[in-house]
Amino acid sequence: MKCKKIYVSGHRNPDVDSLTSACALADLRRHTMGGEVVVEALCPGNLPAKAEWVFNHFGITPPIQKNDVYIKVIDIVATDIVPLSADIPLIEALRKLEASGESSLPVISRTGKYLGDLQPLKLLHFFIEGKDLQTPVGEVPLGETLVLNSSDRVHDVKGHAIRSSQNHFSVLDESGQFCGTVLKRSFAEKPPYRMILVDHNETDQGILGLEELPVIEVVDHHRISFSPTIEPIRYTADIVGSTCTLVTKMYRASGLRPSKQIAGVLLAGVVADTLLFQSPTTTETDRIAAAWLEKICGETAQSLMDGMMSIPSPMMSMTPEAALESDRKLYTESGFKFSLSQIEESNFLYFHHQLHAFEDSLSELINRKGLDFAGLLITDPVRGDSEFLYKGEEGVKRSLPWRRNANGTFSLPGVLSRKKQLLPQVLSALSSLR
Ligand SMILES: [Mn+2]
């Protein structure tokens, strides 16, 4: 099927880097791909308050909130089959049927309601009785065929449809209105949407339904856990502090200059992910990219950091459940399924006051998602330290390398990055258990 739309999406529970890089890369691809295809940046989940501030500040519409990209029947509807209107005489309808080369054609009322399919076999009795060929086709016996609902997932109806003897299926909306037809061969074709991933490459972390769409590009700065592809794809990965740094480099390489607004949101992404160049993930490349973006957007990295830090942290403004969800990633590794959330909070006292509530929420999360364990990294971006709260499998807990505090949390001095500091140590603890 012809590609109608390309989605650009960061990981679920998106953070500032994920959203701003999606927004900017969508903008870049609109320029490099020409105007033919629609490129749409997505926000798979809630827009975090900090990201909302960034997009407002630069006067840009944030990525569209969408929880899944499952392909629906309506997405693959074709207009190849022209339905018969119920008013025309049977003889005329039969001629149209013959000319179409199909074995049946849908009949729709004047108001667009689907009435059934004109099928010659169904008419035998009608002819035997010697009925008039001038009878409107809407009044003759029509065949009942397999019809599809426009909102059905293709995944759910595909098997049934492929096994049926029909070559096409009428598609109806909730009120029975005819929306078009799906051709049987469409089920074997590529869907009309493509996917570009930013700031992640693991299907587990991506928007729901991601596995149904061909990924044509990845721009990322995380470990690679991407599945083999059928066709060549564009893959940009590097060890830098922010995906926005990579998108900035791509702008420069293409000879295009981002608008003031796009440069602004890119700079915010670099600042947010490197915690104003304090995170150990920061590289010279991030600083060079930021300096270039500062010139274009006319603001400093520091002023954007101040702006974002003025937004209350999830811990102060959300319930423990919501705070855990605000930046949570799911992993399956060494036979363990686990989740690691991260929250920035410059005052650990807020966290200590709610410790039991967070422990309960982690336990609830483990039950709900069938996990082996779940952890929460609380990071103080100002002092550059973290604490880690762990729930779940005791063997894993014992193999974690950090000092335990009296309140049961782990102390991780100098740790700012889940990706570069927390995850590798968790993974090495897990592999030591095998
Ligand atoms: Mn990132």
Side-chain angles (χ1 to χ4, degrees):
M1 232 168 219
K2 206 170 153 264
C3 175
K4 289 187 207 154
K5 202 183 265 182
I6 300 172
Y7 292 122
V8 186
S9 179
H11 49 78
R12 286 208 295 272
N13 308 319
D15 57 8
V16 173
D17 184 39
S18 221
L19 290 159
T20 54
S21 62
C23 168
L25 186 60
D27 179 73
L28 179 63
R29 287 290 161 255
R30 271 177 219 125
H31 287 103
T32 57
M33 286 177 154
E36 287 270 295
V37 190
V38 179
V39 188
E40 200 170 271
L42 300 182
C43 171
N46 293 324
L47 186 69
K50 274 186 188 160
E52 193 180 1
W53 179 85
V54 170
F55 287 106
N56 268 336
H57 183 73
F58 289 103
I60 287 194
T61 314
I64 297 159
Q65 242 161 314
K66 199 171 164 69
N67 288 328
D68 68 75
V69 288
Y70 292 127
I71 304 155
K72 306 278 166 49
V73 166
I74 192 74
D75 298 324
I76 60 166
V77 159
T79 49
D80 304 49
I81 306 283
V82 182
L84 300 167
S85 112
D87 302 337
I88 64 168
L90 176 59
I91 181 69
E92 191 185 331
L94 286 169
R95 283 198 189 109
K96 287 191 171 176
L97 177 61
E98 190 188 20
S100 74
E102 299 291 330
S103 56
S104 75
L105 280 180
V107 179
I108 59 168
S109 77
R110 199 173 286 179
T111 56
K113 233 179 169 50
Y114 172 76
L115 302 175
D117 261 49
L118 178 66
Q119 284 176 317
L121 269 179
K122 277 276 165 189
L123 297 171
L124 281 179
H125 198 70
F126 182 83
F127 287 132
I128 290 164
E129 284 182 345
K131 291 270 174 65
D132 186 0
L133 276 168
Q134 292 304 322
T135 311
V137 66
E139 290 169 25
V140 309
L142 295 175
E144 278 167 34
T145 57
L146 174 63
V147 296
L148 306 176
N149 292 315
S150 57
S151 58
D152 282 346
R153 272 183 64 188
V154 167
H155 173 271
D156 296 338
V157 299
K158 192 176 175 174
H160 196 42
I162 287 174
R163 281 191 299 275
S164 95
S165 59
Q166 293 168 224
N167 277 324
H168 59 83
F169 307 89
S170 293
V171 177
L172 313 184
D173 69 9
E174 281 90 76
S175 58
Q177 291 293 107
F178 180 82
C179 315
T181 51
V182 166
L183 307 177
K184 190 187 249 171
R185 64 156 201 269
S186 299
F187 289 112
E189 288 174 2
K190 263 192 202 168
Y193 307 121
R194 303 285 179 275
M195 202 72 214
I196 295 178
L197 307 184
V198 292
D199 204 35
H200 74 303
N201 69 80
E202 304 189 33
T203 309
D204 273 359
Q205 298 174 357
I207 189 165
L208 293 174
L210 169 59
E211 63 283 356
E212 294 186 3
L213 300 182
V215 173
I216 56 167
E217 178 171 9
V218 178
V219 182
D220 189 23
H221 66 144
H222 293 85
R223 69 172 192 153
I224 295 179
S225 179
F226 197 64
S227 30
T229 60
I230 298 167
E231 289 174 31
I233 69 164
R234 189 183 275 151
Y235 202 108
T236 308
D238 203 352
I239 315 164
V240 291
S242 139
T243 300
C244 283
T245 298
L246 298 176
V247 178
T248 304
K249 279 182 79 180
M250 290 160 80
Y251 262 104
R252 297 190 85 167
S254 67
L256 289 165
R257 198 180 160 86
S259 67
K260 243 181 147 167
Q261 292 91 332
I262 293 290
V265 298
L266 278 169
L267 181 59
V270 178
V271 167
D273 245 28
T274 63
L275 301 169
L276 195 60
F277 317 114
Q278 298 305 298
S279 168
T281 56
T282 311
T283 64
E284 197 47 32
T285 315
D286 297 301
R287 295 174 194 276
I288 294 168
W292 188 67
L293 295 167
E294 280 182 331
K295 270 188 264 163
I296 298 172
C297 77
E299 294 197 39
T300 63
Q302 178 71 58
S303 68
L304 289 182
M305 181 70 172
D306 295 344
M308 284 188 276
M309 291 305 280
S310 71
I311 307 298
S313 67
M315 194 161 288
M316 284 170 70
S317 57
M318 291 179 183
T319 63
E321 295 80 34
L324 274 188
E325 288 303 314
S326 68
D327 181 6
R328 189 171 71 76
K329 287 186 180 172
L330 188 68
Y331 304 89
T332 306
E333 207 65 51
S334 303
F336 291 93
K337 196 174 167 196
F338 59 99
S339 131
L340 298 174
S341 302
Q342 184 172 22
I343 301 178
E344 279 172 28
E345 178 53 70
S346 44
N347 189 345
F348 284 164
L349 277 180
Y350 290 123
F351 170 49
H352 296 154
H353 280 311
Q354 300 187 72
L355 204 56
H356 293 300
F358 274 107
E359 283 179 326
D360 291 347
S361 300
L362 285 173
S363 301
E364 194 274 328
L365 178 68
I366 290 170
N367 289 335
R368 183 158 45 90
K369 299 272 180 189
L371 305 176
D372 295 299
F373 62 90
L376 168 64
L377 187 69
I378 306 287
T379 302
D380 174 354
V382 181
R383 272 175 302 167
D385 289 325
S386 290
E387 287 190 3
F388 184 63
L389 180 63
Y390 176 96
K391 267 277 162 189
E393 239 269 61
E394 278 300 317
V396 176
K397 188 172 187 176
R398 277 194 295 274
S399 65
L400 293 174
W402 311 291
R403 190 176 62 79
R404 291 277 287 276
N405 297 318
N407 62 13
T409 61
F410 288 95
S411 181
L412 284 69
V415 168
L416 283 171
S417 166
R418 167 174 49 195
K419 166 176 54 196
K420 206 161 181 176
Q421 296 170 308
L422 178 69
L423 182 63
Q425 292 202 292
V426 170
L427 293 184
S428 84
L430 293 184
S431 62
S432 74
L433 289 172
R434 278 197 290 187

